[in-house]
Amino acid sequence: MTTELHAHPSACAECHDEIVQFVFRTAASLGLLTNARAMLDAAPQELAESFEQAVRSAGLAS
Amino acid sequence: MPLKIVVTLHGIRTRGQWQKQITPYLARHGLIPYHLDYGFLGVLSFLMPWARASRVQWLRGELRDLMDRTGARRVSLIAHSFGTWLALEVLEAENGNIRFDRVVLTGSIVAREFPWGSTLLRKRWIQAVRNERATGDWVVRAAELFSRLAGPLAPRAGASGAVGFTTACPGVHERQIAGGHSEVLNIANYEQWARFIAFPRLPDDHLRRVRMLLQQIRALAAARLGLADDLVRANIFVPSASALRMIPGAWDNMTWAPEHDIELELDHGSTGRAFTDGTPFSIRRRGASWTAGVLPGPEQAKLNPRLQWVLSLPIGRIVTRDDVAVARDVVGVLNIDGLDSVPALLQTPGDPTLKTLVFTLWASTEKIRQSLALANMGEPLHDD
C-alpha cells in the first residue's frame, strides 16, 4: 500500500495551520502491513486483534 | 452533550401501564421521561376521522409546549400502537417544526411505505428509529386491512409492527420477536430501548472497552511519536444534533473541561473532514491560534490553549474503493492530539514511518467501531 498526502492550506487571509489528508492506495499494501504489524509488536493483544480484524475486513490480509 | 427528554405515548384501549414501568430504565441511562396520556380511546373513536384528528392536534400542542418550556430542539420518543401513528402524523403535519431525536416504535401501525429515506436521511426530522415488531401481532394487521377497506376516511395505517417497513434505510433498525401486540411491551426489552435512545452516550459495558482501547491507542501514538505520555490525548467525536460532539467519558487524558462540550461542524477541520471523507486527516498549528476556518470563535475558546496538533481517524468499516482504503458507514472520529509542541514526525507528512503509524492507529480502531455500532442499535457488548 502506498500513501499519498494532500496538504490543504486553509483558505483564509492569515493561515496558521495546515490540514493534511492521508490517502492509502492499496496497490502495494504488503510493505505497509509488515511495518504496521512490527509497530504493534509490543502492543496489547486487544489492540493487535482490532488491527487484524480491520485488515481482514478490508481484504488486505496477507 | 444535552440531556435527552423521552416522550412516551400509549395506544388505544389502554392508559399505558408500561409508561410507568419504563421510567427507572430510562433514568438509569440519564434520560428524562415525559409520559403523555390522551385518555382511554375506544376502537369506535379510532375509526372516526375527527376523533383521530383531535388527538393529532392535542399531541402537536403538547410537544410544542414541552419544547418551548425546556428549550429542547428535539425529543426522543417511545410509542405503542396508535401512539406510533399519532407521532408520525404530527411529524409530517409540523413539516420540520417538531423533530425527533431517537424513536422506538412498538406495535407500530404506521404505513409500511412510510418515507424513511426523506424523513431520516434528507430532512433529518428523525435521527434514528428502532422498530420493535411482533410476528404474531394481529392488531396491526387488522389496522392495515381497515385502512385498505375503508378508503379515504381510514387512517393511512399498515402492519409495520408485524412485518416491518418496505422503505427501510440506514438509521432504521428492525427488531423482531415472537408474540402479539402487547408482548412487544415486554419489560425485558426496556433496557435495550433506553440504551438505544441514550446513544451516543455509551452504557458501562461499551464505555469500559472503548476507554481501554483509547488508552492503548494513545500510548502507542505517544511512544511512536517520541512524546511524553501526558502530552498526548485521545477522544471520540460522533454526530449529535447536527454537530460533532465528544462522547462523554470516551476520552483519555482530556483534563481541560471546556473541551468536553465542544461542537464541531460536520465538514470542518480535520475532525469534520475525516468524518465526511472517510480518510485520516491531521492538522497542526503554525502560529498563535487556529484559523477561523477550522473553528468558530466560541468553540475555539473552549480549546486547551496548549493544543498544537490533531490526528483525526474516521471510525468506520475500512474498505477498498477505487484502489484507495476508505472508511464506510462512518460512525465517528477518533482524535489523537497533543500539547505544547508538534512532534518532528508530524512536521514531515511524507515520512514513511508516519504513514505506517497513521494506518496502524486507524486500523486499530476496528473494535471501537464494533462497540459504537452495537451501542447505536441499543445492543450489549458481545464476546468476540
Side-chain angles (χ1 to χ4, degrees), chain B residues 227-298:
Chain B
L227 294 171
D229 207 43
D230 63 329
L231 296 181
V232 180
R233 318 170 321 156
N235 55 66
I236 296 176
F237 279 84
V238 290
S240 167
S242 308
L244 290 167
R245 301 164 197 261
M246 280 188 209
I247 300 178
W251 49 55
D252 196 35
N253 197 29
M254 296 294 298
T255 54
W256 187 262
E259 285 177 312
H260 297 169
D261 296 320
I262 211 160
E263 290 180 22
L264 305 176
E265 292 185 43
L266 291 178
D267 55 355
H268 274 203
S270 63
T271 311
R273 292 287 306 279
F275 183 77
T276 50
D277 290 24
T279 58
F281 279 81
S282 74
I283 193 165
R284 58 193 166 113
R285 185 187 281 190
R286 283 185 151 178
S289 64
W290 302 88
T291 55
V294 174
L295 274 180

Side-chain angles (χ1 to χ4, degrees), chain A residues 5 16-17 20 26 49-50 53, chain B residues 282 286 323 349 364 367 370:
Chain A
L5 294 148
H16 297 297
D17 40 44
V20 173
T26 52
E49 284 173 8
S50 187
Q53 286 181 14
Chain B
S282 74
R286 283 185 151 178
D323 196 34
S364 298
K367 286 197 176 187
Q370 293 168 8

Side-chain angles (χ1 to χ4, degrees), chain B residues 313-328:
Chain B
L313 308 168
I315 304 171
R317 194 182 294 279
I318 299 178
V319 298
T320 302
R321 196 169 59 205
D322 299 331
D323 196 34
V324 170
V326 292
R328 200 177 63 190

